[in-house]
Amino acid sequence: MSDAAAEAAAAAAAAARASDITLWTLYAFGVVITTLRTYARVKAVGWRHFETDDYLVWVAVTCLGYGIGTHAHGMANNGLTDAERAALLPSDPEYHMREIGSKIQIAGWSFYATLMTTLKCAMLFFYFRLTNGLGSRYRNRVHGGLALVLAGWLASIFAIFLVCRPFPRNWQIHPNPGNVCQPAVSHPVVWVSYGANLFSDLYLLAIPLPLLWRSRLRLVEKIASTLILGAGVFVLVCATLKTVFIIVDEVHGAALAGAWGTREAFVAVATTNLPMQRTAHD
């Protein structure tokens, strides 16, 4: 490995360590929020009366923790010139780290899609409880949300596993496999994931707000609940920034995108659990 490559690897490793601290700190807060929500539900209805969303939030937290649990010093098969690719030998440790890192990127996108889908399904099942007894008009909206969320998950998984053929090119170093086969910055994967989240997030925000403002809650409670539900907008902001970083800067954008992706996942966990805590007695 050349001196320049060694310095780049050391810098990437340092950035990965700093990122790990942030990741696990946010994850710890996510676990605390989910635990408090579960405690509120136990106090309100007991274990035997748990609903689907009570379990889905823990599936989501497990996905988030597993996704954080692995790393490859921030390296994958992107961010290299053709000359650097040709000079990187299979016997070089960096070559191995980039191969592993590319495979981890595939797993990371898969867990990200599953995490966000699980959280949205948990929120939709929560909406089922809120709309119980209100007639098919409102419940059909929730059914439509489930269909939209699951369709977005399928589209994301298909993009992750099918756009690059043959599949082993996803971790190919030399020759350059092209953007489509660079999992960390693959434009088809990025755009499909972003589109799926954008449409489903906006749809989910539109379901409870009309119900909320037609309810008999005090104005202060309506505003507070709207702010909690509206925090989902920050999820969209994080997803947008993540997408922009990857598209604009394929060399360094993936690292910045990872940081914003973590914030996105944490806020999604928080915004999924907080409304449930407020209505744990339902």
Side-chain angles (χ1 to χ4, degrees):
M1 185 185 297
S2 65
D3 291 341
E7 290 178 2
R17 284 193 294 271
S19 177
D20 282 347
I21 294 173
T22 302
L23 287 170
W24 286 112
T25 300
L26 290 176
Y27 178 68
F29 279 113
V31 171
V32 169
I33 292 171
T34 307
T35 300
L36 290 174
R37 175 231 184 262
T38 301
Y39 175 75
R41 287 286 291 163
V42 170
K43 293 284 288 183
V45 301
W47 290 105
R48 295 183 178 181
H49 298 284
F50 267 25
E51 301 286 347
T52 304
D53 51 280
D54 296 312
Y55 300 105
L56 285 177
V57 290
W58 283 105
V59 174
V61 167
T62 302
C63 288
L64 179 59
Y66 189 86
I68 292 173
T70 56
H71 68 84
H73 301 288
M75 291 183 174
N77 66 344
N78 60 292
L80 292 169
T81 65
D82 289 339
E84 289 171 334
R85 291 177 184 277
L88 198 58
L89 300 176
S91 59
D92 195 311
E94 182 184 342
Y95 189 101
H96 179 67
M97 283 193 295
R98 288 186 179 276
E99 276 194 333
I100 296 297
S102 299
K103 295 174 183 179
I104 288 175
Q105 288 291 338
I106 296 170
W109 278 111
S110 303
F111 276 102
Y112 167 79
T114 304
L115 164 67
M116 301 307 289
T117 298
T118 303
L119 289 171
K120 290 171 187 177
C121 286
M123 184 63 78
L124 285 165
F125 279 106
F126 171 63
Y127 290 164
F128 270 128
R129 289 197 282 115
L130 287 183
T131 58
N132 187 32
L134 295 182
S136 61
R137 174 187 174 186
Y138 293 104
R139 295 178 71 81
N140 285 341
R141 295 179 186 177
V142 183
H143 284 117
L146 281 172
L148 182 61
V149 168
L150 293 176
W153 179 79
L154 285 174
S156 298
I157 294 299
F158 286 159
I160 294 165
F161 288 96
L162 297 181
V163 297
C164 176
R165 310 302 300 172
F167 192 69
R169 290 188 67 196
N170 277 296
W171 50 88
Q172 177 176 304
I173 306 297
H174 180 69
N176 189 342
N179 171 270
V180 171
C181 294
Q182 296 174 12
V185 294
S186 174
H187 287 185
V189 173
V190 172
W191 284 118
V192 170
S193 174
Y194 177 66
N197 283 313
L198 176 66
F199 289 116
S200 58
D201 283 346
L202 290 176
Y203 188 92
L204 262 66
L205 285 172
I207 292 176
L209 292 181
L211 290 174
L212 175 64
W213 284 92
R214 291 172 188 168
S215 69
R216 297 179 179 178
L217 292 174
R218 293 179 301 166
L219 179 60
V220 174
E221 293 176 321
K222 290 180 180 180
I223 294 174
S225 298
T226 300
L227 290 175
I228 292 174
L229 293 169
V233 174
F234 186 68
V235 176
L236 288 176
V237 172
C238 292
T240 301
L241 289 173
K242 180 181 68 177
T243 302
V244 169
F245 285 135
I246 292 176
I247 298 300
V248 172
D249 185 359
E250 293 189 359
V251 177
H252 304 104
L256 292 171
W260 282 100
T262 302
R263 295 181 178 94
E264 177 189 4
F266 167 70
V267 175
V269 169
T271 55
T272 299
N273 283 293
L274 289 177
M276 297 180 194
Q277 290 186 44
R278 289 182 59 87
T279 57
H281 60 278
D282 291 346

